[in-house]
Structure formats: C-alpha cells, structure tokens
Amino acid sequence: MKFIIVWLLTMILVAGLSYWVGRREPELYMKPKTYNVIAFVGALGLLLFACYKVSIGGYDVSWYFGLWIYLFILSIYDLKFRELPDCWHIVLLLFYGIAWLGGWQPIALVESLITAFVVGSLSALVFLIRRDAIGLGDIKLLLVCSLYMGTFVGGMVIRGMFAAFVCSLGLLLFKKVTPKSGLPFVPFLLFGALWI
C-alpha cells in the first residue's frame, strides 16, 4: 500500500516538476504528454519491481523506491538532453531531510554524510583531472545517492560502470559510436541501484 501512495505522490510531483522545468529552462522542455506517459509507464514498472523485491524478502525497498524513480526520471533527461535539472536534486534532498527528521531512513546519518564526502571528493577529483569524464550534474546526483544509500552507493556505481562498459563495448563493436562519443551515465546508475 505504501508503494502505491509513494507512486501516486511521485507521479503528481513528476507532472508538476516537468511543467515547471519546461517553463524555467526551455532547452529542457519535453512535450508534457509524451514525457508524462513515459514517466507513468516507467514508474509503474518500478512499482511492480518493488513489489517483486518485497515478495522475495528483499531489503527495505520502500526507502529505495523513491530513489529508483528519481534515477529513472533523470535518466530520461540525461538520454534526451545530456543535462540534469537541479530542481530534482533539491526535491530529493528535501525528502531526505523530512525522512531524517522523522527517523525513517534505514542508513545512519553519519554513514550517509561520510559516504557523501568521500564520493563527492573522488568525483570532484575526477572532474578536475578530466572534465569530459563526469559532469557536475552527475556529481550532484552521486552526492544525493550517497545520502540515501550510504556505503551501498559503491555497489551501485561499480555495477553502473560495468553496465556502461559493456554497453560502450557493444556500441563500439557495431560502430554505432566512436571512442570520442559520450554516453549518458544516469541510466546505468539506475541499473546499478536496482541490483544492490
């Protein structure tokens, strides 16, 4: 039942934020009807996956369900525009703050903050050394994921990087991309987050 409530609230939030982002940042505008259909169907798939995970005795899926939807919505933006709107990060941080005040998060705050510091430092170092390797939007996304997942974010990133490597290799073999081409990283992070 709580998944359905989270899902309904998320769908309302997605519709509202997609409209707001389209007005504030016209370059990130997507046709609302098409975007909302994609978001609705994808979030419904994630809802079914969450119910499956609960049925097999998975971890506290309700905590990660919102994160999966967040990554799914940002995957759409990343695939289409190669840019991530900041408003989504702010909304998820707001939800994290509410969960922390209510004592609902399964990851200890200290663990989340230490992980966010380590992930932020490593991401910033990669960004400073090689700017084309990671974008600032990806760094912000990793910081938010670190707060939600704590040390589990390492597994998410490793699985996501492995999936990106396999996909890149396949695309290079079939000559769909060149070695200079970039791939959006968020869809691969979503893959990694689903299998932690």
Side-chain angles (χ1 to χ4, degrees), residues 57-71:
Y59 48 84
D60 188 11
V61 177
S62 59
W63 176 250
Y64 297 107
F65 179 62
L67 183 69
W68 295 345
I69 292 179
Y70 162 75
L71 289 170

Side-chain angles (χ1 to χ4, degrees), residues 56-130:
I56 62 171
Y59 48 84
D60 188 11
V61 177
S62 59
W63 176 250
Y64 297 107
F65 179 62
L67 183 69
W68 295 345
I69 292 179
Y70 162 75
L71 289 170
F72 175 70
I73 298 302
L74 287 180
S75 294
I76 296 170
Y77 278 102
D78 203 16
L79 285 167
K80 186 162 175 68
F81 302 109
R82 302 289 173 94
E83 193 171 325
L84 305 175
D86 287 337
C87 62
W88 286 102
H89 307 307
I90 293 168
V91 167
L92 210 65
L93 286 174
L94 178 65
F95 285 151
Y96 181 80
I98 292 168
W100 178 74
L101 289 173
W104 301 314
Q105 83 280 16
I107 308 293
L109 179 64
V110 173
E111 177 185 340
S112 294
L113 292 175
I114 290 172
T115 305
F117 176 76
V118 170
V119 167
S121 300
L122 292 174
S123 302
L125 184 64
V126 169
F127 179 76
L128 290 173
I129 293 172
R130 195 164 167 214

Side-chain angles (χ1 to χ4, degrees), residues 7-195:
W7 182 76
L8 286 172
L9 289 173
T10 304
M11 290 295 82
I12 293 167
L13 181 67
V14 164
L17 275 179
S18 65
Y19 174 75
W20 185 77
V21 167
R23 289 191 59 201
R24 298 253 323 158
E25 303 176 43
E27 66 276 1
L28 294 181
Y29 180 74
M30 288 187 265
K31 293 181 181 172
K33 185 176 180 184
T34 306
Y35 174 74
N36 288 333
V37 167
I38 293 170
F40 179 84
V41 171
L44 186 59
L46 290 173
L47 176 66
L48 295 174
F49 184 74
C51 291
Y52 165 74
K53 289 285 246 184
V54 168
S55 72
I56 62 171
Y59 48 84
D60 188 11
V61 177
S62 59
W63 176 250
Y64 297 107
F65 179 62
L67 183 69
W68 295 345
I69 292 179
Y70 162 75
L71 289 170
F72 175 70
I73 298 302
L74 287 180
S75 294
I76 296 170
Y77 278 102
D78 203 16
L79 285 167
K80 186 162 175 68
F81 302 109
R82 302 289 173 94
E83 193 171 325
L84 305 175
D86 287 337
C87 62
W88 286 102
H89 307 307
I90 293 168
V91 167
L92 210 65
L93 286 174
L94 178 65
F95 285 151
Y96 181 80
I98 292 168
W100 178 74
L101 289 173
W104 301 314
Q105 83 280 16
I107 308 293
L109 179 64
V110 173
E111 177 185 340
S112 294
L113 292 175
I114 290 172
T115 305
F117 176 76
V118 170
V119 167
S121 300
L122 292 174
S123 302
L125 184 64
V126 169
F127 179 76
L128 290 173
I129 293 172
R130 195 164 167 214
R131 289 186 187 263
D132 61 338
I134 192 170
L136 287 175
D138 293 329
I139 293 173
K140 294 173 196 171
L141 178 127
L142 286 172
L143 287 172
V144 172
C145 289
S146 298
L147 285 176
Y148 267 81
M149 300 175 75
T151 55
F152 292 122
V153 79
M156 178 189 81
V157 171
I158 289 170
R159 285 179 180 89
M161 290 176 76
F162 180 74
F165 170 74
V166 170
C167 183
S168 299
L169 196 59
L171 290 171
L172 284 169
L173 287 174
F174 290 107
K175 298 187 180 181
K176 299 290 183 186
V177 296
T178 66
K180 298 270 186 202
S181 302
L183 282 179
F185 191 44
V186 182
F188 300 109
L189 286 178
L190 173 60
F191 175 82
L194 290 173
W195 302 107

